[in-house]
Amino acid sequence: MILWLVFTLMTAAAVLAVLVPLARRAPEGGGTDIAVYRDQLDEIARDRAAGLIGEQEAEAAKVEVSRRLIAAADAAGTQEKAASAGSPVWRRRWTAIAGLVLVPVSATTLYLMLGSPQLPGEPLQARLRAIHGDHSIESLVVQVEQHLARNPKDARGYAVLAPVYMQLGRFQDAVRARRKVIALSGETAERQADLGEALTAAANGVVTAEAKKSFERALALDAKNYKARFFEGMAAEQDGKTAKAAAIWGAMLKDAPPGARWVSTVRQALAQIGGKAPAAAGTRGPSAAEVAAANKMSPQN
């Protein structure tokens, strides 16, 4: 019963949508559209003067808006002629009668032929998943890749895409993207360290000679870059130089700022090679002199 009531209201709304325009007078012209297009032309000129768009884009936009302006002016003239001539009353009446009869009959017939009123409604969550199901990470990556294919010099696009490639396990793509970022935006310690990380991941965790060069370049730019220092220690471990790796990772822990998220990873790597992590700040044990002084204290003290 409720379903049919809803259908009745929807049908009434559809009928009103047909009849209300018929009850209105014809529009008096396209002056509003013309004003809008003129404002758009002024806005394009302002954007070009401010350097927000290029000369070629500005000219293309002007051509398109001018075309619409001419079409709006022609439409305004046509509407004025039609309004002056007037429209027969009988046409409006027949159109209104057709709307009152055909819309409900057509809607009811179509629903009875194609609809399934006996089926239960689908939950809202399932419908939302169906609507937004194509917004997966893979589809978003494809959209960014298509954007970069059209704009190959967009360094920001490559910078956004590279870490996503790393998360998806597409390490060779991450290497290419990070090389693009360096080529387009210049090198920094972080970018060289990121490139070395991608090269290492692409080699199944082996710090290759090419990756070492990236880490060495990163450390030349910033001797305290934590990512480059960590992989430098990993390279030493893979070369059998565990003492060097332990020294590198121990120094990292000593220099670690409070709350650094990578500390636990370095501690774990150090523990795996039998290294001893330095004591955390504020946890220093008593010195030999302090121990001797404590032993000399009497119970009364």
Side-chain angles (χ1 to χ4, degrees), residues 82-101:
S84 61
S87 60
V89 178
W90 63 268
R91 289 185 180 178
R92 291 194 176 192
R93 291 179 179 176
W94 276 112
T95 304
I97 294 173
L100 287 172
V101 176

Side-chain angles (χ1 to χ4, degrees), residues 215-275:
F215 295 130
E216 290 170 358
R217 184 59 186 160
L219 291 173
L221 295 170
D222 180 8
K224 293 186 177 181
N225 183 275
Y226 76 91
K227 185 178 291 186
R229 293 174 70 185
F230 176 78
F231 281 100
E232 182 187 25
M234 182 182 293
E237 179 199 2
Q238 292 174 357
D239 292 340
K241 302 175 182 179
T242 55
K244 181 180 178 180
I248 293 172
W249 290 336
M252 286 184 66
L253 293 176
K254 287 182 180 179
D255 299 338
R261 293 181 295 178
W262 46 264
V263 167
S264 60
T265 302
V266 176
R267 285 183 179 275
Q268 183 178 2
L270 187 59
Q272 288 178 351
I273 62 174

Side-chain angles (χ1 to χ4, degrees), residues 185-231:
S185 300
E187 66 172 355
T188 63
E190 290 77 11
R191 290 168 185 164
Q192 286 288 358
D194 288 341
L195 175 58
E197 178 189 29
L199 288 166
T200 301
N204 295 321
V206 176
V207 183
T208 62
E210 189 177 9
K212 286 182 181 179
K213 291 181 181 179
S214 292
F215 295 130
E216 290 170 358
R217 184 59 186 160
L219 291 173
L221 295 170
D222 180 8
K224 293 186 177 181
N225 183 275
Y226 76 91
K227 185 178 291 186
R229 293 174 70 185
F230 176 78
F231 281 100

Side-chain angles (χ1 to χ4, degrees), residues 25-77:
R25 297 181 61 183
E28 297 182 358
T32 303
D33 290 342
I34 294 174
V36 170
Y37 294 139
R38 287 176 177 171
D39 290 341
Q40 288 181 356
L41 289 174
D42 294 339
E43 185 177 356
I44 292 171
R46 290 194 298 270
D47 290 345
R48 179 66 190 100
L52 298 178
I53 57 176
E55 181 67 26
Q56 185 175 1
E57 296 174 345
E59 290 300 325
K62 286 180 180 180
V63 170
E64 176 62 20
V65 175
S66 298
R67 184 186 63 80
R68 296 182 181 181
L69 179 59
I70 293 172
D74 292 342

Side-chain angles (χ1 to χ4, degrees), residues 4-229:
W4 287 105
L5 178 60
V6 172
F7 286 162
T8 302
L9 294 176
M10 292 175 63
T11 302
V15 171
L16 289 176
V18 174
L19 296 181
V20 169
L22 294 174
R24 297 175 181 171
R25 297 181 61 183
E28 297 182 358
T32 303
D33 290 342
I34 294 174
V36 170
Y37 294 139
R38 287 176 177 171
D39 290 341
Q40 288 181 356
L41 289 174
D42 294 339
E43 185 177 356
I44 292 171
R46 290 194 298 270
D47 290 345
R48 179 66 190 100
L52 298 178
I53 57 176
E55 181 67 26
Q56 185 175 1
E57 296 174 345
E59 290 300 325
K62 286 180 180 180
V63 170
E64 176 62 20
V65 175
S66 298
R67 184 186 63 80
R68 296 182 181 181
L69 179 59
I70 293 172
D74 292 342
T78 302
Q79 290 176 356
E80 289 178 358
K81 292 179 181 179
S84 61
S87 60
V89 178
W90 63 268
R91 289 185 180 178
R92 291 194 176 192
R93 291 179 179 176
W94 276 112
T95 304
I97 294 173
L100 287 172
V101 176
L102 294 180
V103 171
V105 172
S106 300
T108 304
T109 303
L110 184 63
Y111 179 75
L112 292 176
M113 292 175 58
L114 303 178
S116 301
Q118 73 279 3
L119 294 179
E122 187 177 4
L124 175 61
Q125 191 64 30
R127 284 179 286 167
L128 292 177
R129 282 198 299 268
I131 294 173
H132 301 288
D134 59 339
H135 293 290
S136 61
I137 293 179
E138 289 78 6
S139 65
L140 295 176
V141 168
V142 171
Q143 293 178 20
V144 177
E145 289 174 339
Q146 293 173 349
H147 166 77
L148 291 175
R150 297 188 300 268
N151 304 274
K153 294 185 178 181
D154 184 1
R156 180 176 176 82
Y158 290 108
V160 170
L161 203 54
V164 180
Y165 281 147
M166 292 291 290
Q167 293 179 3
L168 295 176
R170 297 172 57 177
F171 302 127
Q172 291 293 348
D173 291 331
V175 170
R176 285 190 288 268
R178 285 178 169 170
R179 281 177 174 160
K180 275 285 191 179
V181 173
I182 294 175
L184 294 172
S185 300
E187 66 172 355
T188 63
E190 290 77 11
R191 290 168 185 164
Q192 286 288 358
D194 288 341
L195 175 58
E197 178 189 29
L199 288 166
T200 301
N204 295 321
V206 176
V207 183
T208 62
E210 189 177 9
K212 286 182 181 179
K213 291 181 181 179
S214 292
F215 295 130
E216 290 170 358
R217 184 59 186 160
L219 291 173
L221 295 170
D222 180 8
K224 293 186 177 181
N225 183 275
Y226 76 91
K227 185 178 291 186
R229 293 174 70 185

